[in-house]
Amino acid sequence: MSNPIKLTIIGGINKDGTKEAIDRVEVSPGDILGIVGPTGSGKSTLIDDIEQLAQGDTPTGRRILINDEEPDTKMRVDPRLKLIAQLSQNMHFLADMTVSEFLQMHARSRGKDPELMHKVIELANTLTGEPIHEDDPLTVLSGGQSRSLMTADIAVISDSPIVLIDEIENAGIKKQEALELLAGEGKIVVVVTHDPVLALMASRRIVIKNGGMNDIITTSTEEKNVGDRVSEVDNWMMDLREIIRRGEVVEGVV
Ligand SMILES: Nc1ncnc2c1ncn2[C@@H]1O[C@H](COP(=O)(O)OP(=O)(O)OP(=O)(O)O)[C@@H](O)[C@H]1O
């Protein structure tokens, strides 16, 4: 498991240069934090600030603290320290190798047991309806398979304690399970989304307006229950899509 850390976002300025309403957000290991807001409001910009460990040197003027301290320069520039992993909608593999070769290589590069690849594939297959096989070439994986594999890879092999997720609405994966898997590993998960399954799984969500963190909403029990129901429907849709894709007949599921 990665070393658990605490993440703090110190507020900066809105697009018009005024101070943003929320001036401090603290996130603990295992927390899921949502980011919502209209198109163009500044959601991805907040994700970018976290990714870059901004220190007042981006247009927002925000600062990111790790364990209550300004991260040292090494942490900001050395990719091997890999504090942060990212998952996004447009995720495809370009490497000409098989799933098992890739996972073994990744495990070795992180000083881990290459046999962990079995666990990654097994977990990835709980997140997608289209099974992934060890010998599949990476380039033939569908979008859903790629994202499932990356999610399981981040959970099992990567040490990154923070995972940033930007819009995985049409992911083709069991989204609730994917987030639970990552947060269950003690990672901090920050997710930009309007998808009720994801937004309502977060314990809190930051509302972005005019470039700034305008509000922060704590998810109520009622919202959590709604989220669980939506997730069931979502998984059901995914299963149905898979049955239809395989050319089978939908029966006995109502
Ligand atoms: N606090 C800020 N100060 C100055 N510019 C900002 C600020 N926040 C966002 N911007 C700028 O506003 C534009 C839109 O931001 P961004 O792409 O983050 O929005 P978004 O909410 O992710 O949009 P979408 O929903 O379309 O993905 C960008 O050009 C970004 O640089």
Side-chain angles (χ1 to χ4, degrees), residues 12-18 20 35-49 58-62 166-167 192 194 208-213:
I13 51 170
N14 298 310
K15 283 190 195 179
D16 58 13
T18 54
E20 56 189 331
I35 301 176
V36 302
T39 305
S41 57
K43 302 179 296 294
S44 302
T45 303
L46 175 55
I47 284 276
D48 291 346
D49 282 341
T58 64
T60 65
R62 292 188 187 114
D166 204 347
E167 314 265 9
V192 172
H194 302 138
I208 305 282
K209 195 176 160 189
N210 190 27
M213 299 185 287

Side-chain angles (χ1 to χ4, degrees), residues 81-99:
L81 293 176
K82 263 292 194 191
L83 202 58
I84 294 167
Q86 241 176 327
L87 264 179
S88 72
Q89 187 82 12
N90 301 312
M91 181 154 270
H92 292 288
F93 293 100
L94 298 171
D96 182 19
M97 52 173 87
T98 65
V99 167

Side-chain angles (χ1 to χ4, degrees), residues 43-250:
K43 302 179 296 294
S44 302
T45 303
L46 175 55
I47 284 276
D48 291 346
D49 282 341
I50 300 172
E51 209 261 328
Q52 296 167 42
L53 299 171
Q55 295 305 320
D57 46 6
T58 64
T60 65
R62 292 188 187 114
R63 292 194 304 127
I64 305 299
L65 307 185
I66 300 295
N67 292 333
D68 295 313
E69 287 177 13
E70 188 178 309
D72 58 27
T73 326
K74 211 167 124 213
M75 217 184 254
R76 297 189 71 187
V77 297
D78 187 347
R80 280 168 308 178
L81 293 176
K82 263 292 194 191
L83 202 58
I84 294 167
Q86 241 176 327
L87 264 179
S88 72
Q89 187 82 12
N90 301 312
M91 181 154 270
H92 292 288
F93 293 100
L94 298 171
D96 182 19
M97 52 173 87
T98 65
V99 167
S100 61
E101 283 166 350
F102 166 75
L103 293 175
Q104 286 176 320
M105 186 185 78
H106 188 204
R108 276 194 207 99
S109 77
R110 290 191 168 259
K112 302 262 173 87
D113 181 0
E115 290 305 302
L116 280 175
M117 68 147 177
H118 299 295
K119 193 174 167 199
V120 176
I121 296 171
E122 193 185 315
L123 267 178
N125 280 333
T126 65
L127 304 177
T128 174
E130 320 156 61
I132 301 166
H133 306 102
E134 285 181 17
D135 298 334
D136 287 343
L138 285 177
T139 45
V140 307
L141 298 183
S142 70
Q145 287 175 317
S146 302
R147 282 183 286 273
S148 305
L149 195 64
M150 283 308 293
T151 306
D153 177 87
I154 290 172
V156 176
I157 296 180
S158 146
D159 289 320
S160 309
I162 303 175
V163 187
L164 305 178
I165 305 179
D166 204 347
E167 314 265 9
I168 52 162
E169 269 75 356
N170 306 311
I173 66 172
K174 294 186 176 154
K175 290 172 274 193
Q176 191 172 29
E177 280 84 342
L179 253 63
E180 269 164 7
L181 174 65
L182 295 169
E185 288 291 315
K187 293 179 189 293
I188 287 174
V189 181
V190 183
V191 56
V192 172
T193 189
H194 302 138
D195 183 324
V197 175
L198 297 173
L200 299 180
M201 258 197 92
S203 49
R204 290 170 299 165
R205 56 188 188 273
I206 296 176
V207 182
I208 305 282
K209 195 176 160 189
N210 190 27
M213 299 185 287
N214 191 54
D215 195 7
I216 183 157
I217 299 174
T218 300
T219 313
S220 66
T221 310
E222 184 178 346
E223 283 190 328
K224 285 261 176 218
N225 291 339
V226 170
D228 286 343
R229 276 171 58 199
V230 181
S231 176
E232 275 172 34
V233 174
D234 201 58
N235 286 346
W236 188 50
M237 287 282 284
M238 210 179 100
D239 291 342
L240 287 174
R241 225 176 266 132
E242 185 53 24
I243 292 169
I244 290 167
R245 203 179 69 91
R246 286 197 303 260
E248 294 169 9
V249 173
V250 176

